[in-house]
Amino acid sequence: MNDVIVSMKEICKAFPGVKALDHVSFELRSGEVMALLGENGAGKSTLMKVLSGVYQRDEGELEIFGKQYGDLTPKLAQEVGVAIIHQELNMCRHLSVAENIFLGREKRHGIALANSEMEAEARRILDELKIDLDPRQVVGELPVSKQQMVEIAKALSTNARVLIMDEPTSALTAREIDDLFRIIRELKEKGCGIVYISHRLEELQHIVDRVTIMRDGQYITRMDFQDTSLDEIIAYMVGREIKEKFPRVSCEKGKKIFEVKDLNAGRMVRDVSFSLYEGEIVGFAGLMGAGRTETTRAIFGVDAKDSGQIFLDGAEVAIRRPLDAIQAGIVLAPEDRKKDGLCTKLSIRQNIALPNLDFLCNRFGVVRRDKEDEVCARAVEDLKIKTPNVETDAANLSGGNQQKVVVGKWLARNSRVVIFDEPTRGIDVAAKVEIYHLMNRLKQQGIAVMFVSSEMPEVMGIADRIVVMCDGRVTGELSAQEATQEKILSLATQFEKKIAI
Amino acid sequence: MNERKQNPIKRILSTRGMGGALTAFAGLIAIYIAFGIINPTVFSGQNIMNLLRSMSKYLLIGIGQSYILITGNIDLSIGSVAGMSAMISATLMTRGVHPVAAILIALVCCLVIGVLNGLLVGKWKLPPFIATLGTMFVARGVAYIVNFNRNTDAIASGIGKEAADAFGNFFYYGSTLGIYNTFWIAIVLFVVFFFLLSKTRTGRHIYAIGSNADAAKLSGVSVLATTTKAYLVSAFCSCVVGLILCGQAGMGNMEAGNMYEMYGVAAGVIGGVSPLGGTGILLGTLAGAAVWQTLENGLNMIGAQVGIQRLVIGIIVVGAVFLDVVIRNGAYRKKTVKRGSAPKAD
Ligand SMILES: Nc1ncnc2c1ncn2[C@@H]1O[C@H](COP(=O)(O)OP(=O)(O)OP(=O)(O)O)[C@@H](O)[C@H]1O
Ligand SMILES: [Mg+2]
């Protein structure tokens, strides 16, 4: 037991303009959970993609189960026993759960697919993991958290002995996270080696044995989790100490800026009412699927509203489409950055300029390059977006840096209300603090901030007032002083009693 | 967990893509009956036979194009490849080459175009619209060049009347068990390709790369091999259509198969194949091809002018997809609304 099963030495990998990996070393023993930590863009995902055959390394040695490998392909890596759960969901939406699980290694009778066999096997795997899903269901119809569980089931079904999890929990609900940790512990018992990447450092204590830390594409250190502290880990990751994880500035609460009255939109937004005041950040807490995202979408005019009124500075505003909201001064940084937040084929410059073209163009509709440069430079600087230059495609940024672009494009405007939907998902500690600072700055400027987050510590740490939602309704409101985890959770699980038939 | 035993009919009805196919079949029946009421000869045995025969070309083209559409690509070279197949086989036969040899040579040439399409799209990542636009012109160019920019003489002039008749009968004029051979050819190929798409690994991979090529690739699916196989199927079907056209005319026509790639798109799309990739079944394409041909045939029988025919067909194609989009959006909305209620109190 506990022999080294993966050893990577002096790995280098460059992309155009970026040295993503610079002589990085990494090792993994059997029966351990190794956390791989680092800021956004440190190269964690890239290193693991090298290990799983997605990328070919430029230099360095790679040894798996005592055998040296030259160029790996995803297929070869799978055969060797390496499975990876990617940071971004990688599912074929049109195929069923079972079909996704067996994609690329279908079972066959002769040349015909053995569908019922694969379905039965998939059901067995799902049952074993206690995931309640029908293997025949089409993946595109499942909520994101369930898709993530399918991804996990798929990786496990290969009987991998090296399992890489790249931010597996960022889309999971609390209960599914518990399930995942149980699964991880069982795999550990069986002698699998697990690489665990996460920006949620509080999670680590439940499962992790050792940590490897990277910064700017370089290996920094490796240590036993027991012998270190979170503060030390953060200091290694960031290269400096972070004093306050939840910086809070106090402001005088001013007049009411924004009010939503009896908003209804579909099944997930029911009679939602709340107000935002000058000089405060209002956190929206709740479980996943509580209707918070739907509420933000309805306010912003993405989804149709069934009824309800919205007031800005005392006057009612009619918002039928996002353009109405933007013109009124209400902006939204959405939750799903790939789908709603970014044009991934466009550059950072184009993404940031897009919602601001109204004032970036001269009166003939020609984009003014100098203004554009200025706005982009400010966003990159304010948010510390890590990129060679602003012409880089948004798709090539690390996940956290993509999120910063999503937020950054709204900062150039003079807004009255800024809605953040899970702005810190997948973002490293230092960048989180930057986003908190940013919210604080908005608050100081007298802009109303609506801050949706499923992570209770940050809601409690940053928000001045917390609105809790459950099942499409607002179930309560707490001030920062009175809020505790228990109180929030009890409000977040206040389901309506279903009338028995 | 409970083993869900479904009765087989229910299971077939719940196959993905079956909805689009059934809608197309329903539309087909409605259109057919409507024409029949206006002009009862539409129902005559001979007309049905003719319908089946002329539909076969669209079916084959539709199968080829559906394979490509499901991978999320498009093949604009289909019609030209059919033309190339007709011209190459006809030219060879007028020079006295044995029909079987002529067919094989034409087939090889068509498959070369298929491989080329596969490489351009799957390996070098050219946008399929552009890549196959190029091969469309190349194939049409070859069709012109093989007989020095002229249509061929009758194939009987090279291989003799008897062989030419046999060729014509095999592909077009002859019938077996009371049904034209053309339809038999199409149906046999339909069954083969239906099986390939719905029951084999290759078929599964075709859906997978159309649904999410990145995910498929990361799962170890070869995007290049799968794309190439799809383009080979399409080239093969086009080749057969070219041979049918050659058999029908008894000679090679340089413009044979003109616009067929678009008829293929129409047949697929009417039958519920999504041009965005990942969905659709060949049963739908079968219905789509039949709708297409029934419209053409019916409009002819009731004496509509060509202009009117085109117009009606255009409206039907857009209408079919429009309906599909509306229905799907409706269904999608219902689902998203439902899924939100998922979390239960622990
Ligand atoms: N395909 C690519 N093309 C160009 N640059 C890339 C590509 N993939 C990654 N990079 C760059 O390589 C660097 C490392 O990225 P990587 O995704 O490995 O970071 P990470 O540590 O996983 O970050 P995060 O925590 O945000 O997921 C980043 O600067 C990123 O912009
Ligand atoms: Mg990453």
Side-chain angles (χ1 to χ4, degrees):
Chain A
M1 225 1 237
N2 288 0
D3 37 344
V4 174
I5 50 177
V6 172
S7 152
M8 302 173 85
K9 289 204 186 89
E10 305 289 317
I11 302 283
C12 292
K13 172 81 194 171
F15 295 109
V18 202
K19 185 123 209 200
L21 298 176
D22 185 6
H23 299 279
V24 177
S25 301
F26 180 79
E27 73 164 41
L28 177 70
R29 298 203 190 120
S30 65
E32 77 167 351
V33 177
M34 170 69 96
L36 180 56
L37 305 175
E39 291 182 280
N40 297 128
K44 306 178 296 290
S45 300
T46 307
L47 184 68
M48 289 303 110
K49 283 181 182 168
V50 167
L51 175 56
S52 58
V54 179
Y55 291 154
Q56 309 299 335
R57 63 189 183 274
D58 301 334
E59 275 174 55
E61 280 174 37
L62 171 53
E63 192 182 295
I64 307 171
F65 296 113
K67 206 170 153 239
Q68 295 275 347
Y69 287 90
D71 281 352
L72 275 179
T73 61
K75 198 157 193 149
L76 180 59
Q78 207 177 72
E79 281 159 17
V80 176
V82 178
I84 179 164
I85 299 162
H86 287 279
Q87 185 169 7
E88 315 292 340
L89 279 175
N90 270 295
M91 298 264 100
C92 292
R93 319 182 33 253
H94 303 95
L95 300 187
S96 73
V97 171
E99 286 166 352
N100 266 293
I101 289 178
F102 285 97
L103 186 60
R105 37 194 195 89
E106 293 81 1
K107 291 181 193 297
R108 297 187 291 181
H109 291 311
I111 63 161
L113 290 169
N115 277 327
S116 43
E117 212 169 283
M118 287 191 280
E119 272 162 23
E121 175 80 13
R123 183 163 288 148
R124 197 187 55 71
I125 295 166
L126 292 170
D127 283 354
E128 208 169 89
L129 301 177
K130 304 200 175 66
I131 305 172
D132 184 20
L133 276 179
D134 180 354
R136 283 220 289 271
Q137 195 162 4
V138 176
V139 162
E141 295 171 358
L142 298 172
V144 177
S145 64
K146 286 278 189 284
Q147 293 187 20
Q148 180 72 53
M149 291 311 268
V150 176
E151 194 99 67
I152 291 166
K154 176 177 171 179
L156 295 179
S157 71
T158 60
N159 290 322
R161 286 171 300 160
V162 174
L163 188 62
I164 303 162
M165 300 188 175
D166 197 347
E167 296 194 37
T169 53
S170 62
L172 295 185
T173 64
R175 192 163 130 207
E176 286 157 339
I177 292 177
D178 285 344
D179 280 340
L180 178 68
F181 287 173
R182 177 180 50 75
I183 294 166
I184 290 178
R185 284 188 208 103
E186 285 168 16
L187 289 168
K188 222 161 99 169
E189 306 264 287
K190 286 193 211 151
C192 291
I194 294 163
V195 184
Y196 189 85
I197 300 177
S198 177
H199 288 294
R200 294 183 171 181
L201 302 179
E202 326 80 65
E203 285 174 2
L204 302 181
Q205 55 179 330
H206 300 292
I207 42 169
V208 164
D209 300 306
R210 289 199 296 165
V211 294
T212 298
I213 297 174
M214 293 178 65
R215 191 192 323 139
D216 291 334
Q218 288 174 329
Y219 166 81
I220 300 295
T221 183
R222 177 158 58 221
M223 46 200 179
D224 279 337
F225 187 71
Q226 256 134 24
D227 305 339
T228 180
S229 66
L230 280 189
D231 286 335
E232 193 187 4
I233 291 176
I234 292 171
Y236 275 120
M237 279 168 62
V238 186
R240 65 191 148 86
E241 239 173 291
I242 290 194
K243 302 251 161 42
E244 275 180 304
K245 273 194 229 122
F246 299 116
R248 188 189 272 287
V249 293
S250 52
C251 273
E252 191 124 338
K253 183 164 163 178
K255 61 181 196 317
K256 189 192 283 183
I257 295 182
F258 182 69
E259 184 174 6
V260 172
K261 243 189 202 159
D262 298 322
L263 181 67
N264 280 288
R267 161 86 185 68
M268 287 319 291
V269 182
R270 294 183 289 155
D271 294 327
V272 171
S273 302
F274 64 90
S275 326
L276 306 178
Y277 289 82
E278 199 169 83
E280 65 166 4
I281 296 173
V282 179
F284 277 68
L287 301 178
M288 237 171 254
R292 293 167 301 165
T293 293
E294 288 80 352
T295 306
T296 64
R297 286 171 64 91
I299 293 174
F300 196 55
V302 189
D303 297 335
K305 302 176 197 47
D306 298 330
S307 66
Q309 289 168 296
I310 292 174
F311 298 91
L312 189 64
D313 291 321
E316 184 169 359
V317 282
I319 299 173
R320 278 181 218 92
R321 49 189 183 148
L323 186 59
D324 297 336
I326 295 169
Q327 278 169 350
I330 303 169
V331 300
L332 167 70
E335 165 186 48
D336 186 338
R337 53 178 173 253
K338 270 265 171 79
K339 187 167 146 285
D340 301 328
L342 287 176
C343 303
T344 44
K345 285 185 183 157
L346 300 185
S347 66
I348 298 175
R349 167 207 295 282
Q350 287 165 313
N351 269 291
I352 293 179
L354 186 60
N356 303 317
L357 286 175
D358 49 350
F359 68 85
L360 290 180
C361 291
N362 66 16
R363 78 194 111 115
F364 303 112
V366 178
V367 181
R368 291 191 46 188
R369 192 60 182 244
D370 52 338
K371 271 199 174 179
E372 206 187 23
D373 279 336
E374 189 188 307
V375 166
C376 294
R378 205 168 70 218
V380 169
E381 162 133 10
D382 276 0
L383 295 170
K384 305 202 172 60
I385 299 175
K386 191 173 282 172
T387 169
N389 55 53
V390 290
E391 305 304 334
T392 306
D393 280 359
N396 289 343
L397 289 177
S398 74
N401 282 305
Q402 288 182 349
Q403 182 66 48
K404 293 185 199 169
V405 176
V406 174
V407 178
K409 67 181 185 182
W410 293 121
L411 296 182
R413 305 188 72 86
N414 294 324
S415 311
R416 295 295 290 145
V417 181
V418 181
I419 306 172
F420 291 94
D421 194 0
E422 306 277 3
T424 59
R425 178 175 290 169
I427 284 199
D428 68 54
V429 258
K432 272 183 194 165
V433 174
E434 275 158 36
I435 296 218
Y436 302 146
H437 278 309
L438 185 86
M439 287 197 278
N440 283 336
R441 215 157 66 215
L442 295 174
K443 157 169 140 181
Q444 281 167 323
Q445 288 165 8
I447 294 167
V449 180
M450 173 175 174
F451 169 41
V452 175
S453 168
S454 300
E455 279 180 63
M456 259 187 261
E458 69 172 14
V459 181
M460 293 197 305
I462 292 301
D464 300 294
R465 193 150 55 86
I466 300 168
V467 174
V468 187
M469 287 186 66
C470 172
D471 218 8
R473 296 161 304 128
V474 173
T475 48
E477 212 180 287
L478 301 162
S479 70
Q481 291 77 30
E482 59 182 338
T484 61
Q485 295 246 11
E486 291 71 36
K487 280 190 196 163
I488 295 179
L489 204 60
S490 92
L491 288 172
T493 49
Q494 224 174 68
F495 290 87
E496 280 172 310
K497 299 225 164 45
K498 298 254 154 52
I499 300 152
I501 305 164
Chain B
M1 213 173 274
N2 54 332
E3 262 309 303
R4 267 156 275 216
K5 277 264 181 304
Q6 279 183 323
N7 76 39
I9 295 185
K10 234 179 164 174
R11 176 145 195 186
I12 287 173
L13 287 183
S14 68
T15 312
R16 277 197 308 283
M18 191 56 86
L22 291 180
T23 322
F25 274 116
L28 171 66
I29 292 168
I31 292 169
Y32 185 65
I33 290 176
F35 281 125
I37 290 170
I38 302 175
N39 183 349
T41 44
V42 167
F43 293 135
S44 73
Q46 186 53 44
N47 189 51
I48 292 177
M49 289 301 111
N50 288 340
L51 242 174
L52 290 180
R53 178 166 65 181
S54 31
M55 173 195 131
S56 304
K57 283 178 275 184
Y58 296 143
L59 175 57
L60 288 170
I61 290 293
I63 292 172
Q65 191 66 281
S66 297
Y67 263 71
I68 306 296
L69 291 178
I70 293 171
T71 61
N73 298 317
I74 192 162
D75 188 352
L76 297 181
S77 70
I78 285 180
S80 305
V81 171
M84 194 178 94
S85 144
M87 280 303 290
I88 290 178
S89 56
T91 306
L92 289 171
M93 285 187 282
T94 55
R95 304 278 192 284
V97 176
H98 189 276
V100 174
I103 290 171
L104 288 178
I105 293 169
L107 183 61
V108 169
C109 296
C110 293
L111 294 184
V112 167
I113 299 276
V115 172
L116 190 59
N117 282 334
L119 288 173
L120 289 171
V121 175
K123 189 177 173 82
W124 295 303
K125 310 285 174 213
L126 264 64
F129 195 93
I130 307 299
T132 60
L133 184 71
T135 50
M136 167 181 112
F137 284 118
V138 168
R140 187 61 74 189
V142 172
Y144 272 64
I145 290 168
V146 282
N147 198 39
F148 311 109
N149 301 311
R150 291 199 352 247
N151 292 337
T152 69
D153 298 333
I155 55 175
S157 69
I159 52 174
K161 182 161 175 10
E162 211 167 300
D165 282 349
F167 184 84
N169 284 337
F170 181 80
F171 281 107
Y172 198 77
Y173 295 103
S175 59
T176 308
L177 303 176
I179 291 174
Y180 285 120
N181 291 340
T182 318
F183 187 67
W184 284 118
I185 293 173
I187 279 303
V188 168
L189 291 179
F190 174 81
V191 170
V192 170
F193 288 125
F194 180 86
F195 178 81
L196 183 68
L197 187 60
S198 62
K199 302 279 189 245
T200 70
R201 179 184 293 187
T202 299
R204 178 64 50 78
H205 289 179
I206 283 175
Y207 281 102
I209 67 170
S211 176
N212 184 344
D214 286 334
K217 196 169 168 191
L218 294 178
S219 305
V221 174
S222 164
V223 175
L224 172 60
T226 310
T227 310
T228 307
K229 283 179 197 168
Y231 275 109
L232 278 173
V233 168
S234 148
F236 179 82
C237 291
S238 313
C239 178
V240 175
V241 170
L243 295 170
I244 292 172
L245 292 171
C246 176
Q248 178 178 5
M251 57 175 278
N253 184 329
M254 295 188 298
E255 285 299 326
N258 199 9
M259 287 281 286
Y260 271 33
E261 58 281 346
M262 291 304 158
Y263 300 161
V265 174
V269 165
I270 292 174
V273 176
S274 162
L276 301 177
T279 50
I281 56 176
L282 287 191
L283 271 180
T285 307
L286 175 65
V291 166
W292 185 260
Q293 186 55 48
T294 307
L295 273 174
E296 214 177 75
N297 174 274
L299 288 169
N300 244 326
M301 303 275 287
I302 63 173
Q305 299 155 334
V306 180
I308 301 284
Q309 291 186 21
R310 290 276 150 91
L311 201 138
V312 171
I313 288 176
I315 291 172
I316 297 267
V317 171
V318 175
V321 180
F322 180 79
L323 264 183
D324 186 50
V325 169
V326 170
I327 291 171
R328 208 172 303 170
N329 277 354
Y332 179 71
R333 274 189 81 159
K334 250 188 274 151
K335 250 163 215 154
T336 41
V337 172
K338 247 197 297 182
R339 89 164 189 216
S341 62
K344 302 253 161 56
D346 297 20

